Amino acid sequence: MTEVRVAKQKDKNEFYRLWKACFGDSDAFCDWFFENRFSPENSVVLENEGEIASCMQAFPYTIQIRGKEVPGAMLCGVSTHPNHRKKGYMGKIFSYEMNYLRERGFLIAVHTPAVLPSYFSFGHFPVADAAYLKCNVTPSLKKDDHICIIKEDGWIDLYPLYCRFAEKYSGIIKRTEADFLRKAADYAADGGKSIAYIDHEAIKAYAFYYQTDAEMICVEAVSEDGYWGKLMEGLFALGSGLKFSAKLPPDVEISYPFATLERLQKGVMGLCNAASLLKALNLSVPYGFKLNDHVISEHNATFDFHGDPYPGEPVFEISAGHLLQVLVGYHSLHELRSKIVIYDEAKFHEIDHSLPKQNCYIIDEY
């Protein structure tokens, strides 16, 4: 017999066990994570004969969409024990979690899974890309005196730059100061280090990275325009001769003869409450549309773009996942027209024009 339920504090050890079985992270990271990040009140489990076979966690965050701040959750640790896979457990906990998050007042749920298509059947579609700068061997460069190692007591000085950077993107987490410091401590728990590029006593760029004897991986990079190259070259100098990878925003233009830059989809989002999200975004868009969703039944209705019931004939019919791609600004309605049933072509074009695409980026992995 299986049961899906909200997690409890006493489940922490079982969450830890599943995380280790599925993801293989270090003990140091897992110990820190489950001491500082475990949030049972927003997470769910599936029990099979009294044993937790599948689980997922959710952390509350403010997420920016089209310049508006909305209450959302970041999903992570979505896992099923190897002995219980291919039994449909993931579908059960996902449906339960999305409806539960809706009840708790969250409007959207975002995550950055390793295999994005695994979540398309739940209506969680891509809403952000990332650019990956990679090379097999970094060149030997002279250390730039503007590059400074940032210790724990200096993390707070990086936060204003993050805030300015985040304003440019739709779909990004608007970290509070506490969120930012916790994320920095998260990196440090597994050996992460940080640097900053300082020009005229002002922090112009920073990076959090991991370095081993063979490899350097930059997991978070933030920069003002004009300093991306200086930040990357600072990392190259520190990791001379190592294999290198850096996750960057998708709109960064940077090139080196020894490296490749590849843009990939890196972030999906699910819709918890369409009506409330539309109200929060306060869009100046006319007419109405019909929404379909097999996960959240309240979404199966006709809405206007203020989130209210629409009494007239809908201009088009769309799934919840594809609507969210448009609301975030990752896709235009025109780009998705093959996924949409259009009833009025002229009005559809008018709505499309009212919802321009946005720069979309999700910097956080969990």
Side-chain angles (χ1 to χ4, degrees):
M1 180 179 177
T2 62
E3 177 195 6
V4 182
R5 61 170 174 81
V6 178
K8 302 174 183 177
Q9 186 64 35
K10 68 181 181 63
D11 296 325
K12 184 166 73 170
N13 289 341
E14 287 297 298
F15 271 79
Y16 188 112
R17 177 183 64 84
L18 263 179
W19 188 291
K20 289 286 288 184
C22 296
F23 305 119
D25 287 309
S26 69
D27 289 346
F29 168 78
C30 290
D31 289 346
W32 185 92
F33 185 89
F34 281 93
E35 183 62 31
N36 294 277
R37 295 290 299 274
F38 184 54
S39 179
E41 65 274 13
N42 296 310
S43 306
V44 301
V45 301
L46 183 146
E47 286 187 329
N48 178 63
E49 302 297 336
E51 175 190 2
I52 294 179
S54 189
C55 68
M56 61 191 303
Q57 299 184 59
F59 307 121
Y61 282 115
T62 296
I63 299 174
Q64 178 170 275
I65 296 181
R66 292 185 182 269
K68 303 292 176 56
E69 297 182 0
V70 302
M74 174 159 268
L75 307 180
C76 84
V78 181
S79 51
T80 300
H81 192 278
N83 294 341
H84 293 283
R85 290 176 182 168
K86 298 185 178 180
K87 296 180 180 179
Y89 290 173
M90 194 64 65
K92 291 181 179 180
I93 65 169
F94 242 93
S95 179
Y96 189 99
E97 176 75 293
M98 291 298 291
N99 281 278
Y100 176 64
L101 291 175
R102 176 188 174 88
E103 291 174 8
R104 289 181 61 78
F106 297 100
L107 309 189
I108 51 177
V110 62
H111 50 127
T112 54
V115 183
L116 273 65
S118 300
Y119 301 92
F120 293 176
S121 63
F122 308 123
H124 288 222
F125 292 125
V127 293
D129 297 337
Y132 290 88
L133 182 69
K134 297 181 179 180
C135 63
N136 289 325
V137 181
T138 52
S140 297
L141 297 179
K142 181 181 178 182
K143 182 182 179 299
D144 189 329
D145 290 339
H146 292 87
I147 291 287
C148 300
I149 302 294
I150 304 297
K151 300 293 187 181
E152 181 177 356
D153 60 359
W155 290 340
I156 189 61
D157 297 328
L158 307 177
Y159 180 60
L161 177 57
Y162 176 85
C163 293
R164 296 195 298 274
F165 169 83
E167 286 297 329
K168 300 192 299 180
Y169 298 101
S170 185
I172 200 165
I173 287 175
K174 294 297 294 292
R175 294 176 185 163
T176 63
E177 184 178 289
D179 292 333
F180 184 87
L181 294 176
R182 184 170 54 246
K183 191 65 182 178
D186 182 338
Y187 295 136
D190 208 22
K193 302 175 183 178
S194 55
I195 60 168
Y197 188 93
I198 300 176
D199 190 15
H200 293 92
E201 300 185 352
I203 295 173
K204 300 295 185 178
Y206 75 76
F208 285 93
Y209 65 96
Y210 298 99
Q211 185 171 343
T212 67
D213 291 339
E215 187 174 18
M216 174 182 279
I217 301 174
C218 173
V219 291
E220 177 169 325
V222 166
S223 177
E224 293 188 357
D225 293 342
Y227 289 88
W228 285 106
K230 297 179 186 298
L231 180 63
M232 291 300 103
E233 288 152 25
L235 288 170
F236 295 157
L238 290 172
S240 178
L242 300 180
K243 184 177 180 180
F244 179 85
S245 174
K247 177 187 174 185
L248 306 175
D251 55 334
V252 169
E253 298 291 344
I254 193 170
S255 64
Y256 297 96
F258 53 84
T260 61
L261 185 70
E262 184 180 16
R263 290 174 178 84
L264 301 171
Q265 292 179 328
K266 184 58 179 175
V268 301
M269 191 179 288
L271 185 58
C272 299
N273 194 319
S276 294
L277 178 60
L278 288 164
K279 284 180 169 61
L281 296 180
N282 193 28
L283 300 166
S284 297
V285 181
Y287 313 121
F289 62 93
K290 184 178 180 181
L291 188 60
N292 297 315
D293 192 347
H294 67 275
V295 175
I296 295 178
S297 61
E298 291 89 345
H299 285 163
N300 294 298
T302 302
F303 297 92
D304 65 20
F305 282 89
H306 299 291
D308 296 319
Y310 186 69
E313 292 296 318
V315 174
F316 61 87
E317 186 172 338
I318 191 170
S319 73
H322 289 124
L323 174 69
L324 192 48
Q325 289 182 303
V326 174
L327 294 180
V328 172
Y330 182 71
H331 278 312
S332 67
L333 279 170
H334 177 74
E335 288 173 337
L336 292 175
R337 62 179 298 125
S338 65
K339 311 289 186 182
I340 300 170
V341 179
I342 303 171
Y343 300 117
D344 188 317
E345 191 69 45
K347 291 178 179 178
F348 179 82
H349 178 75
E350 187 178 346
I351 296 172
D352 182 41
H353 183 73
S354 300
L355 293 168
K357 292 178 65 174
Q358 306 288 301
N359 286 329
C360 300
Y361 186 46
I362 300 172
I363 196 169
D364 292 75
E365 297 288 329
Y366 49 82

